[in-house]
Amino acid sequence: MMMEKRVSPETALARCLPCIKPVDGVVLPVEEVWQRVVAADIYTAVDIPLFSHSLVDGLVLHLSDLDRLQRDKEILLSITGTIGAGDLDSPALVAGETMEIMTGARLPEGAGAIVKREEVPVKNRWAYFNQGVQPGANIKKRGSFLKSGDLLAAAGEVLGASQIEIIAAAGMPQILVYNIPAVYVINTGSELILPGEERQAGQIFASNKAFYYSLVKAAGCDPIGGKRPVKDQIGEIAGELVEGIKCSKLLIISGGTAEGEYDLVQAAFHQIGARMIFDGLDLKPGRHTAAAEKDGVLLINLPGNPGAGAIIFEILVKPLLRKLRGSTDYQNSWFELSPQDNDLPLTKRRTMARARGEIRKGQINARMIDKGSQSLTGGMLQLIVDLDPSSPAIKALLID
């Protein structure tokens, strides 16, 4: 049965996703897990905060003295000591007395509230309280943020600085995260030479390797590949595919997507016995984009044009890289643009285009990026817009 020619990008992604499995996990110190993906649910074994403590530098009131202050409106208490942050011993607080307490210091037993030091007149180690004080004022209770057994981070979450701080606050020195996956990048074209080499007539410098290495690295993966561009010969392309399959679960092949005599990537797919997943996108650009699978490894052939390749990378490859990293939130987040005030052209066929967005009156307004520009930088917001003549809505994707 002949494969359907040119599928939607949604269908292409849906066909590719089952080929992607997260890589193995590794245990790392908490200081080294920023932007890594959690490989197993993380629960706290302790309450957070670990103990009830003071939120201010102040004077601590016994529960009975707090009741007396609320009844009599004023009380005079002797200052008998100081409790500092990190003190291992917590002196007893006696009714009729008060103690100085520092921010973060453990609360003595019987404490009912804390009053800021600057709000209490003090003379000769006597403190005069004459203000209304609410029970529990300036006190952070043990377990008021998290209780022992609460979930800190779920498997598949990408760890940010705030989550890592909480994990460390729970006393965990290391956690299980997914390894950073390797992604093999192949740059095809007989006309290509490496930057820095002496150029002859008809040759150009291979820029797509550096381009896709940067995109792959920005997506949280480890780009690898051969030292040189691969010539437009089936045998050489097939050999490089075999090498990539040995060391990566996803290969990006740049160039050779068209139907010319020297566009041989798909022929190389067939030569190594890869199973075709889709053969072309019903989309501009990327009409000849294709994907195949061999021994559980996904092979994606992207356009050689870096402007077109950048768009297909964002809408198709990036979700695959997120899933390969172990993230459960791997799908792109498309949103609808307001139809008003958007400088976007009408198209006869579905087109993905780069645009710059500006926020005006709480809405994002999009403007097209010059076709001659290969970069997705330079505007307030960087977008890919989905111009589909069969749909009344204009969808957009924010480039991170």
Side-chain angles (χ1 to χ4, degrees):
M1 181 178 176
M2 185 174 293
M3 174 170 289
E4 177 187 1
K5 190 71 173 176
R6 299 200 183 104
V7 299
S8 70
E10 292 82 5
T11 297
L13 179 58
R15 290 183 183 179
C16 289
L17 281 169
C19 301
I20 298 293
K21 302 292 187 296
V23 293
D24 294 334
V26 60
V27 175
L28 291 179
V30 290
E31 297 86 358
E32 300 176 14
V33 297
W34 181 77
Q35 289 297 292
R36 299 296 283 265
V37 180
V38 179
D41 291 348
I42 302 172
Y43 297 90
T44 177
V46 296
D47 293 336
I48 301 178
L50 295 165
F51 48 83
S52 297
H53 63 268
S54 175
L55 293 172
V56 297
D57 292 345
L59 293 160
V60 58
L61 284 170
H62 192 278
L63 283 167
S64 61
D65 292 324
L66 179 61
D67 290 339
R68 188 156 60 94
L69 176 61
Q70 292 176 327
R71 183 183 66 246
D72 299 342
K73 308 304 181 185
E74 60 180 14
I75 55 174
L76 188 64
L77 302 176
S78 171
I79 302 173
T80 60
T82 301
I83 307 171
D87 285 356
L88 300 181
D89 295 325
S90 181
L93 179 63
V94 178
E97 298 177 351
T98 185
M99 303 182 76
E100 294 177 318
I101 189 167
M102 303 297 109
T103 302
R106 185 156 56 109
L107 220 61
E109 188 173 349
I114 297 171
V115 183
K116 291 181 179 180
R117 178 65 179 78
E118 60 269 23
E119 295 177 358
V120 182
V122 174
K123 185 176 182 180
N124 297 327
R125 303 296 290 174
W126 285 89
Y128 177 62
F129 297 85
N130 64 350
Q131 62 275 85
V133 180
Q134 293 296 318
N138 298 313
I139 291 174
K140 189 75 170 179
K141 290 286 189 179
R142 172 178 174 171
S144 57
F145 181 54
L146 289 168
K147 298 290 188 184
S148 176
D150 284 351
L151 181 68
L152 297 180
E157 285 189 49
V158 180
L159 290 170
S162 296
Q163 285 175 298
I164 294 169
E165 186 276 329
I166 294 170
I167 291 168
M172 297 182 183
Q174 55 191 23
I175 59 172
L176 180 66
V177 295
Y178 286 108
N179 270 306
I180 296 175
V183 175
Y184 201 89
V185 177
I186 300 174
N187 199 179
T188 67
S190 296
E191 75 279 15
L192 301 177
I193 61 171
L194 294 175
E197 292 184 333
E198 185 176 348
R199 190 181 68 85
Q200 299 180 15
Q203 292 182 321
I204 60 174
F205 295 114
S207 60
N208 276 4
K209 179 181 178 180
F211 180 60
Y212 283 112
Y213 265 50
S214 300
L215 292 177
V216 168
K217 198 168 187 65
C221 298
D222 182 21
I224 60 174
K227 293 182 179 180
R228 301 195 59 80
V230 180
K231 294 186 180 300
D232 293 318
Q233 298 174 6
I234 292 180
E236 284 204 24
I237 297 171
E240 192 72 10
L241 291 173
V242 171
E243 287 301 312
I245 289 170
K246 293 177 183 177
C247 51
S248 175
K249 291 298 182 182
L250 193 151
L251 275 63
I252 296 174
I253 307 98
S254 168
T257 60
E259 297 176 339
E261 182 178 351
Y262 296 105
D263 297 305
L264 304 171
V265 173
Q266 291 189 44
F269 285 171
H270 292 294
Q271 181 164 311
I272 67 172
R275 173 183 66 87
M276 291 300 298
I277 296 173
F278 69 87
D279 180 9
L281 294 176
D282 187 14
L283 182 73
K284 180 184 179 182
R287 190 161 58 103
H288 298 293
T289 301
E293 178 271 334
K294 172 67 174 176
D295 298 334
V297 177
L298 185 62
L299 320 172
I300 301 182
N301 188 197
L302 298 182
N305 178 284
I311 291 175
I312 305 303
F313 183 92
E314 293 292 337
I315 67 173
L316 177 61
V317 179
K318 191 173 279 187
L320 300 172
L321 296 182
R322 294 190 192 108
K323 186 177 181 185
L324 187 64
R325 292 183 66 211
S327 174
T328 52
D329 185 21
Y330 50 78
Q331 294 283 11
N332 282 329
S333 297
W334 293 86
F335 61 94
E336 288 191 13
L337 290 172
S338 170
Q340 290 84 19
D341 301 324
N342 283 305
D343 182 22
L344 300 173
L346 297 175
T347 58
K348 293 182 179 180
R349 56 174 296 190
R350 190 177 182 187
T351 301
M352 298 279 185
R354 295 164 293 154
R356 292 174 180 150
E358 294 180 329
I359 300 176
R360 297 178 183 173
K361 297 180 180 179
Q363 293 183 331
I364 295 178
N365 301 107
R367 299 287 184 271
M368 297 296 291
I369 290 179
D370 182 7
K371 288 184 178 180
S373 171
Q374 295 177 357
S375 172
L376 286 172
T377 62
M380 184 179 295
L381 298 173
Q382 303 305 314
L383 307 173
I384 290 176
V385 291
D386 184 357
L387 307 175
D388 187 350
S390 67
S391 173
I394 300 175
K395 294 191 300 180
L397 175 67
L398 182 64
I399 306 302
D400 53 22

